[in-house]
């Protein structure tokens, strides 16, 4: 019997084709930018998406210090962290975090981390995200492709 067979192609670590992309975050809204970045990291824009494999791209975000929040979130939103000691709960607003070194990186990574799967795969995917405040980055050797994030849904 000669019939057509449709097989679902499942990627693995060796067969996944990962690319390097650069995103300019100037005047982008934090949440909307990070949803698209999380999809890129996960590989959901690719036709060969496999849920349990790291098949997404390596993403470089430049000008992270120029992202914006909508409404009054810049002063009203609170980030909570815990030092590990009794009474060690600390709160920061995005405006306070921007004053610290790597503050913009922490804002973006916090937002993207919440949109990735929880567990081993999500932690591994977050390692593929590189955030820089200025226009310079140290990944020129990978020949990253500049993309317009507004073209993605």
């Amino acid at each position: 019997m000669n019939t057509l067979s449709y097989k679902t192609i499942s990627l693995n670590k060796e067969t996944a084709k990962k690319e390097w992309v650069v995103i300019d975050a100037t005047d982008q809204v934090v949440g909307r930018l990070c949803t698209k970045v999380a999809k890129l990291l996960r590989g959901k824009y690719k036709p060969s998406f496999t849920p349990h494999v790291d098949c997404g791209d390596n993403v470089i975000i430049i000008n992270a210090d120029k992202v914006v929040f909508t409404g009054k979130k810049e002063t009203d939103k609170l980030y909570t962290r815990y030092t590990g000691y009794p009474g060690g709960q600390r709160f920061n607003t995005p405006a306070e975090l921007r004053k610290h070194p790597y503050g913009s990186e922490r804002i973006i990574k916090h937002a993207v981390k919440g949109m990735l799967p929880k567990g081993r795969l999500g932690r591994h995917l977050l390692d593929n995200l590189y955030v820089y405040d200025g226009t310079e980055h140290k990944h020129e050797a990978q020949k990253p492709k500049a993309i317009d994030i507004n073209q993605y849904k």
Side-chain angles (χ1 to χ4, degrees):
M1 187 168 170
N2 193 4
T3 61
L4 288 174
S5 175
Y6 295 100
K7 292 184 179 178
T8 302
I9 298 169
S10 193
L11 292 179
N12 59 23
K13 190 167 62 173
E14 289 78 28
T15 59
K17 292 181 175 51
K18 297 170 69 72
E19 297 176 350
W20 285 80
V21 295
V22 174
I23 297 172
D24 188 6
T26 305
D27 297 329
Q28 296 284 333
V29 178
V30 173
R32 293 164 199 250
L33 169 74
C34 291
T35 54
K36 296 170 186 176
V37 169
K39 278 185 170 182
L40 279 170
L41 287 171
R42 189 87 201 275
K44 286 206 163 192
Y45 289 117
K46 295 183 177 184
S48 60
F49 168 68
T50 307
H52 58 86
V53 177
D54 174 16
C55 55
D57 296 333
N58 295 299
V59 179
I60 304 165
I61 298 178
I62 57 174
N63 293 320
D65 52 345
K66 296 179 183 162
V67 293
V68 295
F69 285 92
T70 57
K72 296 191 286 183
K73 293 188 196 89
E74 186 77 32
T75 55
D76 293 353
K77 182 178 174 68
L78 283 178
Y79 290 107
T80 307
R81 63 187 179 87
Y82 182 61
T83 62
Y85 290 97
Q89 197 172 22
R90 304 285 187 257
F91 303 98
N92 284 359
T93 63
E96 293 169 353
L97 272 180
R98 287 182 197 266
K99 296 175 187 171
H100 296 297
Y102 306 109
S104 302
E105 177 182 352
R106 289 165 91 188
I107 289 171
I108 291 179
K109 283 203 173 191
H110 182 273
V112 172
K113 181 181 177 183
M115 299 173 193
L116 290 175
K118 310 308 180 253
R120 194 182 322 179
L121 178 63
R123 289 189 297 270
H124 182 68
L125 290 174
L126 197 61
D127 291 338
N128 296 333
L129 176 64
Y130 304 92
V131 184
Y132 298 99
D133 280 345
T135 57
E136 300 296 319
H137 60 86
K138 58 181 180 182
H139 304 284
E140 293 298 332
Q142 281 75 28
K143 297 184 181 120
K145 176 175 70 168
I147 61 170
D148 182 18
I149 198 68
N150 296 324
Q151 300 299 321
Y152 290 86
K153 285 192 169 190

